[in-house]
Amino acid sequence: MLLETEPSLNDKDFKRISELVYSHCGISLHAGKKQLVQARIAKRIRGSQFKSVSDYIDHVLADTSGKEMTTLTDLLSTNLTSFFREQAHFDYLNKTFLPALMQRKRESRRIRVWSAGCSTGEEPYSLAMTLLESVQGCGEWDVKLLATDISTRVVQTAQTAVYEADRLGGIDAARKAKYFTSYKANGRATHQVAPTVRKLIQFRYLNLMEPWPFSGPFDFIFCRNVMIYFDKPTQEKLVQRYWEHLDRGGLLFTGHSESLTGINHRFKYVQPTIYAKL
């Protein structure tokens, strides 16, 4: 039976979805998200074999493979990003943090970075370009960047490293010429990130609420516009885990609308949205 009308999301089903998503990945869906959830769930249900939202939730719970839970998470994930978004962070890296870090690590010549919540890749590619520009002319450095997201869909997009022209708004002409290959695809100007940038990054699926299959330590972590989807207890646990995975002197970058105020943590405030492990 195919649904021809918009599936209705009643309060009971919204509560079931909210509890299911919260237990899976920590995302808190408050009442103000009900309309958004209904619209996105409708995309999955419409034209499918599911007779109702309740029927779909039953299917998610019964799917022991976890594939439908991944699909549901993809549906409900919001992925807004751009190259060099929140430029102040990149300025601080370039002018202040990276010169000091390279001096401190002149013997090991090893830099490790994590983009947690990498979305479609613009953030980690921006970080990789920044790192390349910092180490140029300084000999060989071992630089690696981990980029993770809970949405398998956006991780797959990020791995292609392909962007249409309107997505390169944060890239100046010099960087565009240096770090991108341009071509036409279906009559549209298209750009792919250069291999010199791509080889620094490993993209991986990761649910931040599950055990992390790595130990670090990282020199800095970008977790921007991710914690806004979590409640305070979940934010506090996550911030503590970031502390444990940062090297001494490492930095945590959060989003412009995020703050560690009201959260019990051991970081030192550096400037808005930048925190240091001392």
PDB file of all heavy atoms in Angstrom, residues 66-92:
ATOM      1  N   GLY A  66      20.844  -2.538  11.481  1.00  0.00           N
ATOM      2  CA  GLY A  66      21.159  -1.149  11.780  1.00  0.00           C
ATOM      3  C   GLY A  66      21.126  -0.227  10.580  1.00  0.00           C
ATOM      4  O   GLY A  66      21.312   0.990  10.699  1.00  0.00           O
ATOM      5  N   LYS A  67      20.858  -0.789   9.399  1.00  0.00           N
ATOM      6  CA  LYS A  67      20.872   0.030   8.180  1.00  0.00           C
ATOM      7  C   LYS A  67      19.767   1.087   8.182  1.00  0.00           C
ATOM      8  O   LYS A  67      19.986   2.227   7.757  1.00  0.00           O
ATOM      9  CB  LYS A  67      20.743  -0.866   6.954  1.00  0.00           C
ATOM     10  CG  LYS A  67      21.966  -1.733   6.682  1.00  0.00           C
ATOM     11  CD  LYS A  67      21.791  -2.562   5.429  1.00  0.00           C
ATOM     12  CE  LYS A  67      23.033  -3.417   5.151  1.00  0.00           C
ATOM     13  NZ  LYS A  67      22.857  -4.250   3.936  1.00  0.00           N
ATOM     14  N   GLU A  68      18.586   0.701   8.673  1.00  0.00           N
ATOM     15  CA  GLU A  68      17.482   1.675   8.656  1.00  0.00           C
ATOM     16  C   GLU A  68      17.703   2.774   9.696  1.00  0.00           C
ATOM     17  O   GLU A  68      17.299   3.913   9.495  1.00  0.00           O
ATOM     18  CB  GLU A  68      16.136   0.985   8.880  1.00  0.00           C
ATOM     19  CG  GLU A  68      14.949   1.850   8.524  1.00  0.00           C
ATOM     20  CD  GLU A  68      14.957   2.308   7.062  1.00  0.00           C
ATOM     21  OE1 GLU A  68      15.187   1.482   6.163  1.00  0.00           O
ATOM     22  OE2 GLU A  68      14.745   3.525   6.817  1.00  0.00           O
ATOM     23  N   MET A  69      18.365   2.424  10.809  1.00  0.00           N
ATOM     24  CA  MET A  69      18.697   3.448  11.797  1.00  0.00           C
ATOM     25  C   MET A  69      19.675   4.452  11.196  1.00  0.00           C
ATOM     26  O   MET A  69      19.579   5.657  11.431  1.00  0.00           O
ATOM     27  CB  MET A  69      19.318   2.789  13.035  1.00  0.00           C
ATOM     28  CG  MET A  69      19.542   3.751  14.197  1.00  0.00           C
ATOM     29  SD  MET A  69      18.018   4.341  14.954  1.00  0.00           S
ATOM     30  CE  MET A  69      18.226   6.110  14.781  1.00  0.00           C
ATOM     31  N   THR A  70      20.598   3.959  10.385  1.00  0.00           N
ATOM     32  CA  THR A  70      21.531   4.843   9.694  1.00  0.00           C
ATOM     33  C   THR A  70      20.787   5.741   8.719  1.00  0.00           C
ATOM     34  O   THR A  70      21.065   6.945   8.618  1.00  0.00           O
ATOM     35  CB  THR A  70      22.594   4.021   8.940  1.00  0.00           C
ATOM     36  OG1 THR A  70      23.341   3.247   9.877  1.00  0.00           O
ATOM     37  CG2 THR A  70      23.540   4.917   8.162  1.00  0.00           C
ATOM     38  N   THR A  71      19.817   5.164   7.999  1.00  0.00           N
ATOM     39  CA  THR A  71      19.004   5.953   7.068  1.00  0.00           C
ATOM     40  C   THR A  71      18.224   7.030   7.803  1.00  0.00           C
ATOM     41  O   THR A  71      18.158   8.183   7.360  1.00  0.00           O
ATOM     42  CB  THR A  71      18.027   5.036   6.304  1.00  0.00           C
ATOM     43  OG1 THR A  71      18.772   4.080   5.550  1.00  0.00           O
ATOM     44  CG2 THR A  71      17.141   5.836   5.361  1.00  0.00           C
ATOM     45  N   LEU A  72      17.638   6.665   8.937  1.00  0.00           N
ATOM     46  CA  LEU A  72      16.881   7.634   9.735  1.00  0.00           C
ATOM     47  C   LEU A  72      17.788   8.762  10.216  1.00  0.00           C
ATOM     48  O   LEU A  72      17.420   9.940  10.149  1.00  0.00           O
ATOM     49  CB  LEU A  72      16.227   6.928  10.923  1.00  0.00           C
ATOM     50  CG  LEU A  72      15.487   7.825  11.922  1.00  0.00           C
ATOM     51  CD1 LEU A  72      14.339   8.559  11.238  1.00  0.00           C
ATOM     52  CD2 LEU A  72      14.965   6.999  13.101  1.00  0.00           C
ATOM     53  N   THR A  73      18.976   8.420  10.682  1.00  0.00           N
ATOM     54  CA  THR A  73      19.918   9.439  11.144  1.00  0.00           C
ATOM     55  C   THR A  73      20.310  10.366  10.001  1.00  0.00           C
ATOM     56  O   THR A  73      20.401  11.591  10.172  1.00  0.00           O
ATOM     57  CB  THR A  73      21.173   8.783  11.731  1.00  0.00           C
ATOM     58  OG1 THR A  73      20.792   7.862  12.765  1.00  0.00           O
ATOM     59  CG2 THR A  73      22.114   9.816  12.320  1.00  0.00           C
ATOM     60  N   ASP A  74      20.539   9.796   8.819  1.00  0.00           N
ATOM     61  CA  ASP A  74      20.849  10.615   7.639  1.00  0.00           C
ATOM     62  C   ASP A  74      19.714  11.586   7.338  1.00  0.00           C
ATOM     63  O   ASP A  74      19.944  12.754   7.006  1.00  0.00           O
ATOM     64  CB  ASP A  74      21.094   9.724   6.425  1.00  0.00           C
ATOM     65  CG  ASP A  74      22.505   9.169   6.371  1.00  0.00           C
ATOM     66  OD1 ASP A  74      23.319   9.525   7.252  1.00  0.00           O
ATOM     67  OD2 ASP A  74      22.809   8.382   5.458  1.00  0.00           O
ATOM     68  N   LEU A  75      18.483  11.095   7.444  1.00  0.00           N
ATOM     69  CA  LEU A  75      17.324  11.934   7.153  1.00  0.00           C
ATOM     70  C   LEU A  75      17.235  13.133   8.099  1.00  0.00           C
ATOM     71  O   LEU A  75      16.860  14.236   7.694  1.00  0.00           O
ATOM     72  CB  LEU A  75      16.035  11.115   7.273  1.00  0.00           C
ATOM     73  CG  LEU A  75      15.730  10.119   6.159  1.00  0.00           C
ATOM     74  CD1 LEU A  75      14.530   9.253   6.543  1.00  0.00           C
ATOM     75  CD2 LEU A  75      15.451  10.846   4.846  1.00  0.00           C
ATOM     76  N   LEU A  76      17.570  12.896   9.355  1.00  0.00           N
ATOM     77  CA  LEU A  76      17.381  13.927  10.371  1.00  0.00           C
ATOM     78  C   LEU A  76      18.603  14.806  10.583  1.00  0.00           C
ATOM     79  O   LEU A  76      18.536  15.789  11.319  1.00  0.00           O
ATOM     80  CB  LEU A  76      16.986  13.268  11.706  1.00  0.00           C
ATOM     81  CG  LEU A  76      15.666  12.484  11.690  1.00  0.00           C
ATOM     82  CD1 LEU A  76      15.406  11.866  13.048  1.00  0.00           C
ATOM     83  CD2 LEU A  76      14.505  13.382  11.277  1.00  0.00           C
ATOM     84  N   SER A  77      19.723  14.464   9.934  1.00  0.00           N
ATOM     85  CA  SER A  77      20.941  15.259  10.091  1.00  0.00           C
ATOM     86  C   SER A  77      20.856  16.538   9.274  1.00  0.00           C
ATOM     87  O   SER A  77      20.390  16.531   8.132  1.00  0.00           O
ATOM     88  CB  SER A  77      22.169  14.458   9.635  1.00  0.00           C
ATOM     89  OG  SER A  77      22.322  13.292  10.411  1.00  0.00           O
ATOM     90  N   THR A  78      21.317  17.634   9.871  1.00  0.00           N
ATOM     91  CA  THR A  78      21.394  18.913   9.176  1.00  0.00           C
ATOM     92  C   THR A  78      22.852  19.185   8.851  1.00  0.00           C
ATOM     93  O   THR A  78      23.704  19.142   9.736  1.00  0.00           O
ATOM     94  CB  THR A  78      20.826  20.049  10.047  1.00  0.00           C
ATOM     95  OG1 THR A  78      19.448  19.768  10.323  1.00  0.00           O
ATOM     96  CG2 THR A  78      20.932  21.394   9.336  1.00  0.00           C
ATOM     97  N   ASN A  79      23.149  19.468   7.594  1.00  0.00           N
ATOM     98  CA  ASN A  79      24.546  19.604   7.159  1.00  0.00           C
ATOM     99  C   ASN A  79      24.745  20.920   6.419  1.00  0.00           C
ATOM    100  O   ASN A  79      24.653  20.989   5.201  1.00  0.00           O
ATOM    101  CB  ASN A  79      24.936  18.424   6.261  1.00  0.00           C
ATOM    102  CG  ASN A  79      24.782  17.092   6.975  1.00  0.00           C
ATOM    103  OD1 ASN A  79      25.593  16.739   7.824  1.00  0.00           O
ATOM    104  ND2 ASN A  79      23.736  16.354   6.651  1.00  0.00           N
ATOM    105  N   LEU A  80      24.989  21.976   7.203  1.00  0.00           N
ATOM    106  CA  LEU A  80      25.230  23.300   6.638  1.00  0.00           C
ATOM    107  C   LEU A  80      26.696  23.637   6.840  1.00  0.00           C
ATOM    108  O   LEU A  80      27.186  23.686   7.970  1.00  0.00           O
ATOM    109  CB  LEU A  80      24.351  24.345   7.335  1.00  0.00           C
ATOM    110  CG  LEU A  80      24.539  25.797   6.895  1.00  0.00           C
ATOM    111  CD1 LEU A  80      24.161  25.968   5.428  1.00  0.00           C
ATOM    112  CD2 LEU A  80      23.724  26.737   7.783  1.00  0.00           C
ATOM    113  N   THR A  81      27.418  23.850   5.765  1.00  0.00           N
ATOM    114  CA  THR A  81      28.851  24.101   5.883  1.00  0.00           C
ATOM    115  C   THR A  81      29.341  24.890   4.673  1.00  0.00           C
ATOM    116  O   THR A  81      28.588  25.108   3.713  1.00  0.00           O
ATOM    117  CB  THR A  81      29.622  22.763   6.003  1.00  0.00           C
ATOM    118  OG1 THR A  81      30.991  23.031   6.288  1.00  0.00           O
ATOM    119  CG2 THR A  81      29.520  21.935   4.728  1.00  0.00           C
ATOM    120  N   SER A  82      30.583  25.318   4.724  1.00  0.00           N
ATOM    121  CA  SER A  82      31.205  26.016   3.593  1.00  0.00           C
ATOM    122  C   SER A  82      32.710  26.027   3.818  1.00  0.00           C
ATOM    123  O   SER A  82      33.198  25.783   4.928  1.00  0.00           O
ATOM    124  CB  SER A  82      30.674  27.454   3.472  1.00  0.00           C
ATOM    125  OG  SER A  82      30.963  28.196   4.653  1.00  0.00           O
ATOM    126  N   PHE A  83      33.452  26.315   2.778  1.00  0.00           N
ATOM    127  CA  PHE A  83      34.899  26.420   2.896  1.00  0.00           C
ATOM    128  C   PHE A  83      35.269  27.633   3.756  1.00  0.00           C
ATOM    129  O   PHE A  83      34.701  28.711   3.601  1.00  0.00           O
ATOM    130  CB  PHE A  83      35.549  26.547   1.520  1.00  0.00           C
ATOM    131  CG  PHE A  83      35.591  25.255   0.755  1.00  0.00           C
ATOM    132  CD1 PHE A  83      34.653  24.983  -0.228  1.00  0.00           C
ATOM    133  CD2 PHE A  83      36.572  24.305   1.018  1.00  0.00           C
ATOM    134  CE1 PHE A  83      34.684  23.784  -0.943  1.00  0.00           C
ATOM    135  CE2 PHE A  83      36.616  23.106   0.313  1.00  0.00           C
ATOM    136  CZ  PHE A  83      35.664  22.844  -0.663  1.00  0.00           C
ATOM    137  N   PHE A  84      36.212  27.438   4.666  1.00  0.00           N
ATOM    138  CA  PHE A  84      36.725  28.485   5.543  1.00  0.00           C
ATOM    139  C   PHE A  84      35.600  29.212   6.287  1.00  0.00           C
ATOM    140  O   PHE A  84      35.667  30.417   6.510  1.00  0.00           O
ATOM    141  CB  PHE A  84      37.614  29.461   4.768  1.00  0.00           C
ATOM    142  CG  PHE A  84      38.886  28.825   4.288  1.00  0.00           C
ATOM    143  CD1 PHE A  84      38.960  28.266   3.004  1.00  0.00           C
ATOM    144  CD2 PHE A  84      40.000  28.738   5.111  1.00  0.00           C
ATOM    145  CE1 PHE A  84      40.133  27.644   2.566  1.00  0.00           C
ATOM    146  CE2 PHE A  84      41.170  28.111   4.667  1.00  0.00           C
ATOM    147  CZ  PHE A  84      41.238  27.577   3.402  1.00  0.00           C
ATOM    148  N   ARG A  85      34.609  28.444   6.686  1.00  0.00           N
ATOM    149  CA  ARG A  85      33.518  28.996   7.482  1.00  0.00           C
ATOM    150  C   ARG A  85      34.050  29.422   8.851  1.00  0.00           C
ATOM    151  O   ARG A  85      34.871  28.738   9.432  1.00  0.00           O
ATOM    152  CB  ARG A  85      32.423  27.940   7.661  1.00  0.00           C
ATOM    153  CG  ARG A  85      31.159  28.452   8.342  1.00  0.00           C
ATOM    154  CD  ARG A  85      30.178  27.319   8.538  1.00  0.00           C
ATOM    155  NE  ARG A  85      28.907  27.780   9.074  1.00  0.00           N
ATOM    156  CZ  ARG A  85      27.977  26.986   9.557  1.00  0.00           C
ATOM    157  NH1 ARG A  85      28.168  25.670   9.566  1.00  0.00           N
ATOM    158  NH2 ARG A  85      26.846  27.486  10.022  1.00  0.00           N
ATOM    159  N   GLU A  86      33.587  30.550   9.352  1.00  0.00           N
ATOM    160  CA  GLU A  86      34.083  31.134  10.598  1.00  0.00           C
ATOM    161  C   GLU A  86      35.586  31.390  10.473  1.00  0.00           C
ATOM    162  O   GLU A  86      36.424  30.760  11.116  1.00  0.00           O
ATOM    163  CB  GLU A  86      33.741  30.243  11.801  1.00  0.00           C
ATOM    164  CG  GLU A  86      32.230  30.057  11.964  1.00  0.00           C
ATOM    165  CD  GLU A  86      31.850  29.226  13.177  1.00  0.00           C
ATOM    166  OE1 GLU A  86      32.521  29.370  14.228  1.00  0.00           O
ATOM    167  OE2 GLU A  86      30.885  28.448  13.087  1.00  0.00           O
ATOM    168  N   GLN A  87      35.895  32.334   9.616  1.00  0.00           N
ATOM    169  CA  GLN A  87      37.278  32.633   9.225  1.00  0.00           C
ATOM    170  C   GLN A  87      38.185  32.918  10.411  1.00  0.00           C
ATOM    171  O   GLN A  87      39.395  32.642  10.368  1.00  0.00           O
ATOM    172  CB  GLN A  87      37.287  33.837   8.274  1.00  0.00           C
ATOM    173  CG  GLN A  87      38.652  34.239   7.745  1.00  0.00           C
ATOM    174  CD  GLN A  87      39.304  33.172   6.875  1.00  0.00           C
ATOM    175  OE1 GLN A  87      38.651  32.603   6.017  1.00  0.00           O
ATOM    176  NE2 GLN A  87      40.589  32.904   7.114  1.00  0.00           N
ATOM    177  N   ALA A  88      37.641  33.437  11.501  1.00  0.00           N
ATOM    178  CA  ALA A  88      38.465  33.772  12.670  1.00  0.00           C
ATOM    179  C   ALA A  88      39.220  32.557  13.197  1.00  0.00           C
ATOM    180  O   ALA A  88      40.342  32.684  13.707  1.00  0.00           O
ATOM    181  CB  ALA A  88      37.597  34.370  13.771  1.00  0.00           C
ATOM    182  N   HIS A  89      38.628  31.372  13.073  1.00  0.00           N
ATOM    183  CA  HIS A  89      39.308  30.164  13.524  1.00  0.00           C
ATOM    184  C   HIS A  89      40.557  29.884  12.687  1.00  0.00           C
ATOM    185  O   HIS A  89      41.612  29.518  13.220  1.00  0.00           O
ATOM    186  CB  HIS A  89      38.356  28.968  13.448  1.00  0.00           C
ATOM    187  CG  HIS A  89      37.326  28.961  14.529  1.00  0.00           C
ATOM    188  ND1 HIS A  89      36.201  28.174  14.497  1.00  0.00           N
ATOM    189  CD2 HIS A  89      37.247  29.656  15.694  1.00  0.00           C
ATOM    190  CE1 HIS A  89      35.486  28.370  15.581  1.00  0.00           C
ATOM    191  NE2 HIS A  89      36.097  29.274  16.321  1.00  0.00           N
ATOM    192  N   PHE A  90      40.436  30.037  11.407  1.00  0.00           N
ATOM    193  CA  PHE A  90      41.571  29.777  10.516  1.00  0.00           C
ATOM    194  C   PHE A  90      42.653  30.851  10.677  1.00  0.00           C
ATOM    195  O   PHE A  90      43.848  30.558  10.572  1.00  0.00           O
ATOM    196  CB  PHE A  90      41.086  29.674   9.077  1.00  0.00           C
ATOM    197  CG  PHE A  90      40.155  28.514   8.858  1.00  0.00           C
ATOM    198  CD1 PHE A  90      38.785  28.675   8.923  1.00  0.00           C
ATOM    199  CD2 PHE A  90      40.658  27.235   8.629  1.00  0.00           C
ATOM    200  CE1 PHE A  90      37.923  27.599   8.759  1.00  0.00           C
ATOM    201  CE2 PHE A  90      39.815  26.151   8.456  1.00  0.00           C
ATOM    202  CZ  PHE A  90      38.438  26.329   8.526  1.00  0.00           C
ATOM    203  N   ASP A  91      42.216  32.080  10.946  1.00  0.00           N
ATOM    204  CA  ASP A  91      43.189  33.149  11.207  1.00  0.00           C
ATOM    205  C   ASP A  91      43.985  32.839  12.474  1.00  0.00           C
ATOM    206  O   ASP A  91      45.208  33.047  12.509  1.00  0.00           O
ATOM    207  CB  ASP A  91      42.480  34.499  11.364  1.00  0.00           C
ATOM    208  CG  ASP A  91      41.889  35.005  10.057  1.00  0.00           C
ATOM    209  OD1 ASP A  91      42.317  34.528   8.987  1.00  0.00           O
ATOM    210  OD2 ASP A  91      40.974  35.860  10.113  1.00  0.00           O
ATOM    211  N   TYR A  92      43.300  32.348  13.502  1.00  0.00           N
ATOM    212  CA  TYR A  92      43.993  32.028  14.757  1.00  0.00           C
ATOM    213  C   TYR A  92      44.972  30.875  14.547  1.00  0.00           C
ATOM    214  O   TYR A  92      46.093  30.901  15.067  1.00  0.00           O
ATOM    215  CB  TYR A  92      42.978  31.670  15.846  1.00  0.00           C
ATOM    216  CG  TYR A  92      43.619  31.478  17.202  1.00  0.00           C
ATOM    217  CD1 TYR A  92      43.902  32.584  18.010  1.00  0.00           C
ATOM    218  CD2 TYR A  92      43.971  30.212  17.669  1.00  0.00           C
ATOM    219  CE1 TYR A  92      44.517  32.423  19.248  1.00  0.00           C
ATOM    220  CE2 TYR A  92      44.590  30.045  18.890  1.00  0.00           C
ATOM    221  CZ  TYR A  92      44.858  31.149  19.684  1.00  0.00           C
ATOM    222  OH  TYR A  92      45.476  30.999  20.899  1.00  0.00           O
TER     223      TYR A  92
END
